[in-house]
Amino acid sequence: MRRHLQLISRVSTIAQELRALIKFRPWSRNQSTIANGKHEQSSFLESVDVYFDKAAAVSTTAPDILALIKACNCVVKLQFPLKRSTGEVEVIQAYRAQHSHHRLPRGIRMAPTVDAEETMALAALMTFKCAVVDVPFGGAKGGIRIDPRKYSMQEKEAIIRRYTSELAKRNFIGPAVDVLAPDYGTGSQEMAWIRDTYQQLHISELNASACVTGKPLEEGGIRGRKEATGLGLFFCLQEFFNDEELLRGVKLSQGIKGKTFVVQGFGNVGGNAINIRETEGILEMACDVLIPAALESQIHMENAPRIKAKIVAEAANGPVTAAAEAILERNGIVILPDLLMNAGGVSVSYFEWLQNLNHVSYGRMSRRLEEHNKMDLINALERQLEKSLSSDLRMKAFRGNTELDFVWSGLEETMLAAWNNVKNTAEKRGCNLRTAAYLIAIERIAAFYQVHGIFP
């Protein structure tokens, strides 16, 4: 626990240094969507397909299984009415894409640019991301095509509840079917509405609370979920800065101390990684590490030549287009891929899902037992040594593990295991880290199909 608190303290120190250098201004999506249709032809989904195809080209997986893994299983488009506070009736458009059914899908966002293609791309990324960190979820993503800032709290609640009921009608939500979670434009409040709506429609379902993660603590949420994505990214960055060979390639010294960071975006990822808002032109500022933590396609072929960072750590989903990646790599910039770097959120969502299914929080059954056992051990040592510990040291030594301790420990183990796997795969296969991550995902999913077979 003390080690984790030290990590957070170090992140806060970096944030303070950045605030002294950068003037704050609110983030606007309109500033950051230049790439969408103006400067390059490829879409978000096409970039995901390009990354997949690069890994597929060096994979030993059979072509028919590759085609199965790549394809989106199903997409549903929803349209339903909303009676606004003015009395006007508005038709709301929404989507749910289930990319892979080999395991449980997840995820939902609200944004004015949501469409079927974006939802399919995000669902595909979720499939591969879960496979990289070995979380037993498949890939899905939902989206509601609205600007949440233009709707009242009551209107947003009505939209979320209707969306949930429409998914329930089609069997597109459930703890053993499709587990939802927050994304851009949604948070714990929206997840609470989803949980309540689903539970009202499934009164007798014992595990109804597990239909969604990212919930408030009062509704079955888990401690540490909000900061999980940013903390997971930090764990991976720490490993990168302890690797002499990788640092040699970017001509940086070991350790995070003294490095310069620029973060684009403010929210669960950017906010908890370093806690800073976007400023105009921030992507092109000189720094050691650039963390795009906003939305997809932020670095594209138009601005990629002007990126001055030595490392791009992808905290958002798909922030670098395929065309931009080629430019960045030609310029010697190392890209730490989204499939790994922002997987902390889904990892802790998995912990929350398990906790909901078990109906007991982590640490509840073990904390006091740990404390009593530690107390017996310390008392025995004091008698043997004929020396007493200070009361402060005794309290620290006796302390049992809490829910948050279990979550952060599990997150660190998950991220470090995935980091080592991606790094080692890249070295063995002679590819970049992104291709290595996709390779791991492809081969794990292919192994699943090999063992389970194809139904019918």
Side-chain angles (χ1 to χ4, degrees):
M1 180 64 182
R2 289 195 298 272
R3 181 166 178 263
H4 289 131
L5 291 175
Q6 289 170 355
L7 291 176
I8 299 300
S9 176
R10 289 167 66 184
V11 172
S12 300
T13 301
I14 295 170
Q16 292 170 3
E17 294 175 358
L18 285 169
R19 291 191 190 99
L21 296 173
I22 301 174
K23 183 179 179 181
F24 283 88
R25 68 186 293 274
W27 178 81
S28 167
R29 179 181 178 120
N30 293 332
Q31 290 177 258
S32 307
T33 53
I34 303 173
N36 295 335
K38 293 187 178 182
H39 295 297
E40 57 188 87
Q41 298 298 316
S42 63
S43 67
F44 179 24
L45 179 59
E46 287 169 339
S47 283
V48 173
D49 287 343
V50 167
Y51 294 143
F52 180 92
D53 291 342
K54 284 182 179 179
V58 295
S59 173
T60 57
T61 303
D64 55 347
I65 299 300
L66 287 171
L68 174 62
I69 295 171
K70 183 178 180 180
C72 184
N73 290 170
C74 56
V75 184
V76 60
K77 179 180 179 180
L78 306 171
Q79 294 190 128
F80 50 84
L82 168 71
K83 188 171 184 179
R84 304 203 63 174
S85 56
T86 60
E88 176 188 4
V89 175
E90 179 181 341
V91 176
I92 302 296
Q93 292 185 13
Y95 301 86
R96 187 71 182 169
Q98 293 183 346
H99 176 264
S100 174
H101 288 155
H102 81 286
R103 288 182 171 179
L104 300 179
R106 59 185 308 283
I108 177 176
R109 63 166 51 182
M110 289 196 297
T113 56
V114 165
D115 59 25
E117 190 171 272
E118 176 192 81
T119 309
M120 290 167 65
L122 291 166
L125 284 177
M126 186 58 68
T127 293
F128 307 137
K129 184 189 306 182
C130 290
V132 168
V133 292
D134 200 20
V135 165
F137 289 149
K141 187 67 69 169
I144 302 174
R145 192 183 178 91
I146 65 167
D147 183 345
R149 296 170 297 182
K150 296 181 180 179
Y151 294 78
S152 69
M153 186 66 74
Q154 292 75 18
E155 289 170 337
K156 286 190 288 187
E157 180 178 357
I159 291 170
I160 288 292
R161 288 185 180 276
R162 181 61 182 266
Y163 178 73
T164 305
S165 67
E166 293 293 330
L167 292 180
K169 289 178 188 176
R170 296 162 175 80
N171 198 31
F172 261 59
I173 181 175
V177 179
D178 191 343
V179 179
L180 276 62
D183 198 322
Y184 180 81
T186 61
S188 60
Q189 179 59 74
E190 288 77 13
M191 301 307 105
W193 292 331
I194 291 171
R195 175 196 179 277
D196 182 68
T197 304
Y198 181 84
Q199 197 158 40
Q200 295 299 324
L201 297 172
H202 301 81
I203 298 296
S204 62
E205 187 166 339
L206 180 64
N207 296 322
S209 183
C211 74
V212 61
T213 64
K215 304 180 291 294
L217 295 177
E218 299 82 1
E219 295 290 327
I222 194 169
R223 288 172 176 80
R225 175 59 180 87
K226 184 177 180 181
E227 62 268 31
T229 309
L231 188 56
L233 180 140
F234 182 77
F235 285 142
C236 289
L237 277 176
Q238 186 179 48
E239 290 302 297
F240 181 91
F241 279 105
N242 285 332
D243 191 303
E244 291 184 7
E245 185 176 347
L246 290 174
L247 290 170
R248 198 176 300 120
V250 291
K251 299 179 181 178
L252 288 173
S253 59
Q254 276 189 288
I256 287 179
K257 185 177 181 180
K259 305 302 186 296
T260 56
F261 291 75
V262 169
V263 182
Q264 179 219 30
F266 183 76
N268 283 352
V269 186
N272 285 294
I274 296 184
N275 194 22
I276 186 169
R277 294 193 180 187
E278 179 194 7
T279 63
E280 188 172 359
I282 194 171
L283 290 170
E284 298 169 19
M285 292 181 64
C287 61
D288 295 320
V289 183
L290 171 62
I291 303 178
L295 293 167
E296 64 273 0
S297 305
Q298 302 298 290
I299 301 176
H300 43 81
M301 63 185 301
E302 176 73 12
N303 64 3
R306 300 192 294 274
I307 301 298
K308 302 178 184 68
K310 296 179 180 179
I311 302 156
V312 174
E314 295 182 332
N317 288 312
V320 178
T321 67
E325 180 181 67
I327 295 171
L328 295 179
E329 290 191 330
R330 280 200 301 269
N331 291 338
I333 297 172
V334 173
I335 301 173
L336 306 182
D338 52 356
L339 293 191
L340 172 62
M341 300 302 286
N342 70 18
V346 69
S347 299
V348 175
S349 276
Y350 171 50
F351 302 158
E352 180 179 335
W353 179 73
L354 285 176
Q355 182 166 277
N356 292 158
L357 294 180
N358 290 328
H359 299 276
V360 62
S361 62
Y362 298 108
R364 182 172 181 176
M365 304 293 287
S366 61
R367 183 180 178 185
R368 298 302 176 185
L369 178 62
E370 290 175 6
E371 291 181 349
H372 292 320
N373 288 340
K374 289 177 181 178
M375 186 178 296
D376 290 341
L377 178 60
I378 294 297
N379 288 338
L381 287 173
E382 287 181 334
R383 287 194 300 270
Q384 184 70 25
L385 299 173
E386 297 182 351
K387 185 175 182 180
S388 298
L389 298 178
S390 67
S391 58
D392 183 56
L393 185 55
R394 285 176 66 89
M395 289 294 294
K396 290 178 180 178
F398 291 160
R399 184 181 173 278
N401 290 313
T402 65
E403 177 181 290
L404 188 60
D405 293 328
F406 279 106
V407 168
W408 280 356
S409 175
L411 175 60
E412 184 175 16
E413 171 61 22
T414 299
M415 298 306 296
L416 297 193
W419 166 265
N420 289 327
N421 197 6
V422 170
K423 178 196 160 192
N424 293 337
T425 300
E427 292 174 353
K428 291 176 182 176
R429 307 297 280 271
C431 59
N432 64 21
L433 294 170
R434 188 192 307 281
T435 300
Y438 272 86
L439 264 173
I440 291 167
I442 288 171
E443 291 173 359
R444 280 182 171 165
I445 298 169
F448 178 93
Y449 284 123
Q450 184 178 6
V451 172
H452 287 257
I454 305 295
F455 178 84

